[in-house]
Amino acid sequence: MEFNNDHQQKMAEKEAKRMQQALATSKVSTDTYIDQNQDVTLTKVDINRMALRSLALQASFNYERMQAGGWLYTILPALRKIHKNADDLKNAMHMHMEFINVHPFDVTFLSGLVLAMEEGKENISTIRSVKVALMGPLGGIGDALFWLTLLPICAGLGASLALDGSFLGPIIFLLMFNLVHFGLRFGLAHYGYHAGTNALPLLKTHTKRISHAASIVGMTVIGALVASYVHLSTPLEINAGKAHIALQADVLDKLMPNLLPLGFTLSVFYLMKRNFSPVKLIGLTVVIGILGKLVGCL
């Protein structure tokens, strides 16, 4: 998880340098908005609309600008309300179509903060710098909170109910996950907008702590899921004279319960780090299971 966060931060820093180099040839005609009136105030309806439109953040995902199209779509109604001057709106839209890559679930914090800056008619370069600076931290926090913590917990509870024969398993999973997901999506939108740039020092200070704490919880949950849902054992026996030793019960389980599931899980993780695709890993698991059963060792 730390590697993933550092990688995203390095990518964001490289993109910041690229943006600065490209600024000289940018089509944005000015760094300041022509109309400096700050008489427009976004309402709760505007912020909720922005949060709802953020669901389409990755609808036009591409490898040149990543989420830029969906990002502009998210904040465009608010930009139109803020910027009455046509040139100001054009410059804002052009800047917001630049490269951006942030976690799709906590993106509303950044969009709310950016809209507060747009409403205050901050310089375009300042708004750009804030976007670039927060892409990495928000990506790391989002991965730790949602993919490594919330998803395993909700999926584990839903799968447990489903394995007991309850049709409520997938329903409980979807309800739990999306209650938290949408609560944070809309809540962060309002928090980011009202906190404005005052939230930047707090976020930068606690980013690593939040990610580290969420990673610990998530890894604990994943460890419990491995022991509960990965089933692998061997019927092999060791014969030494008149003694018959069951390899699973008398050796492996004595060393550590669920040693085989743990070993298989770590092997899959190693192959994933070696860039094996999930499809290949699923196929390999099926082949190992079938061959192990036919040979009689699993």
Side-chain angles (χ1 to χ4, degrees), residues 270-277 280:
Y270 171 78
L271 292 175
M272 289 182 66
K273 299 293 288 185
R274 303 285 293 182
N275 296 323
F276 270 67
S277 69
K280 290 181 179 179

Side-chain angles (χ1 to χ4, degrees), residues 1-9 136 139-140 143-144:
M1 196 62 218
E2 290 295 331
F3 170 80
N4 189 34
N5 293 350
D6 293 341
H7 177 70
Q8 291 185 3
Q9 189 64 44
D143 287 343

